[in-house]
């Protein structure tokens, strides 16, 4: 005999953002630019954060070398799967940490399909789990490289519903106490890697203090936060 607790019955819609589910917390919906499928994005708790766990920061790649399979704005799972199956994992420390620590054995909270989020997936996490009360940066993204659309920071055409560019006050600090600065599940008020490549030398990052969307050298060590997803 099996049963489902009442707390597990909820729709993957905006009013349920932040509900604990599927091994983490529901962060919103994202449409893959690889397979066109809509997914519920699940952000890990503090145990899926490299800094929160004391593991520190990691390089995206040990060299500034192109990876065309990482040119996706909304399907970090495809990047993770490619690297695990086709590349030397030790050359991709951020991905390696997730694979060897969160996907090993029975996996983090019972799941073994955690991955590094793509740029628009990571943006959705900032939008709904912003840890700080700091004003947002409402400048515009670069116009160079993959993803260089010149749009206002936070513009997210991959999320469902689409996300508008940030204003200084929107998004505001999350109302979820454990994700506020200093909380057990909070992201650091600093930069996190996405799995999205900008060009051979750089990959996109999201700043969790003010929403700044920029890029970092792949061989620089930056924070890592894992996600998983559920097909809708």
């Amino acid at each position: 005999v099996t049963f489902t607790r009442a707390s597990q019955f909820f729709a993957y819609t905006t009013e349920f953002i932040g509900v604990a589910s599927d091994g983490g917390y529901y962060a919103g919906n994202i449409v893959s630019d690889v397979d066109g499928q809509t997914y519920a994005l699940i952000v890990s708790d503090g145990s899926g954060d490299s800094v929160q766990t004391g593991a520190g920061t990691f390089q995206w790649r040990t060299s500034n070398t192109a990876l065309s399979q990482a040119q996706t704005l909304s399907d970090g799972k495809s990047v993770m799967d490619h690297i695990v199956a086709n590349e030397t994992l030790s050359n991709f420390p951020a991905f390696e940490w997730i694979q060897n620590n969160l996907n090993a054995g029975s996996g983090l909270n019972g799941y073994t399909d955690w991955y590094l989020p793509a740029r628009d997936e990571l943006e959705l996490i900032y939008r709904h789990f912003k840890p700080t009360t700091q004003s947002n940066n409402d400048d515009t993204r670069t116009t160079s490289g993959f993803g260089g659309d010149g749009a206002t920071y936070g513009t997210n055409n991959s999320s469902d519903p689409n996300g508008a560019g940030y204003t200084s006050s929107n998004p505001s600090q999350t109302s979820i106490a454990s994700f506020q600065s200093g909380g057990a599940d909070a992201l650091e008020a600093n930069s996190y890697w996405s799995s999205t490549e900008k060009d051979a030398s750089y990959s996109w990052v999201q700043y969790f203090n003010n929403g700044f969307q920029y890029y970092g050298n792949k061989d620089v060590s930056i924070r890592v936060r894992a996600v998983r997803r559920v097909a809708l």
Side-chain angles (χ1 to χ4, degrees):
V1 176
T2 61
F3 65 92
T4 302
R5 298 192 306 272
S7 61
Q8 292 177 293
F9 287 104
F10 75 96
Y12 293 107
T13 52
T14 53
E15 61 265 37
F16 293 101
I17 298 294
V19 170
S21 181
D22 304 290
Y25 294 85
Y26 172 54
N29 297 339
I30 198 84
V31 181
S32 166
D33 55 5
V34 172
D35 63 14
Q37 173 74 42
T38 300
Y39 295 91
L41 186 67
I42 309 298
V43 60
S44 63
D45 58 27
S47 296
D49 188 298
S50 65
V51 174
Q52 283 273 37
T53 58
T57 57
F58 294 96
Q59 297 169 303
W60 196 96
R61 189 172 188 169
T62 54
S63 63
N64 291 329
T65 307
L67 184 72
S68 61
Q69 293 83 358
Q71 292 189 358
T72 167
L73 294 174
S74 58
D75 199 313
K77 184 69 163 60
S78 68
V79 182
M80 185 81 180
D81 289 348
H82 169 81
I83 290 172
V84 170
N86 300 287
E87 304 288 340
T88 301
L89 191 56
S90 60
N91 291 339
F92 296 84
F95 300 86
E96 181 182 35
W97 180 77
I98 294 174
Q99 184 66 15
N100 290 350
N101 292 275
L102 309 186
N103 291 336
S106 59
L108 175 63
N109 298 328
Y111 294 92
T112 59
D113 56 354
W114 298 97
Y115 62 91
L116 189 67
R119 190 190 75 183
D120 286 356
E121 293 176 298
L122 191 59
E123 187 285 318
L124 201 57
I125 297 169
Y126 176 78
R127 183 176 294 270
H128 293 141
F129 296 91
K130 178 185 175 182
T132 74
T133 59
Q134 185 173 338
S135 296
N136 301 303
N137 189 322
D138 58 2
D139 206 340
T140 57
R141 294 190 286 244
T142 182
T143 56
S144 67
F146 179 78
D149 54 11
T152 303
Y153 298 143
T155 302
N156 193 332
N157 295 324
S158 303
S159 63
D160 182 16
N162 289 172
Y166 302 145
T167 66
S168 61
S169 60
N170 188 20
S172 57
Q173 182 187 41
T174 178
S175 62
I176 304 169
S178 70
F179 276 90
Q180 293 174 354
S181 291
D185 302 309
L187 290 99
E188 297 284 308
N190 212 309
S191 57
Y192 278 80
W193 277 127
S194 81
S195 59
T196 302
E197 174 183 277
K198 174 185 175 289
D199 54 36
S201 297
Y202 302 105
S203 288
W204 286 92
V205 300
Q206 173 90 38
Y207 282 72
F208 275 77
N209 55 349
N210 64 359
F212 185 43
Q213 292 185 299
Y214 204 58
Y215 46 89
N217 284 89
K218 293 175 180 177
D219 59 358
V220 170
S221 293
I222 298 178
R223 291 155 186 78
V224 173
R225 183 63 165 247
V227 301
R228 60 181 304 272
R229 66 188 189 183
V230 178
L232 300 181

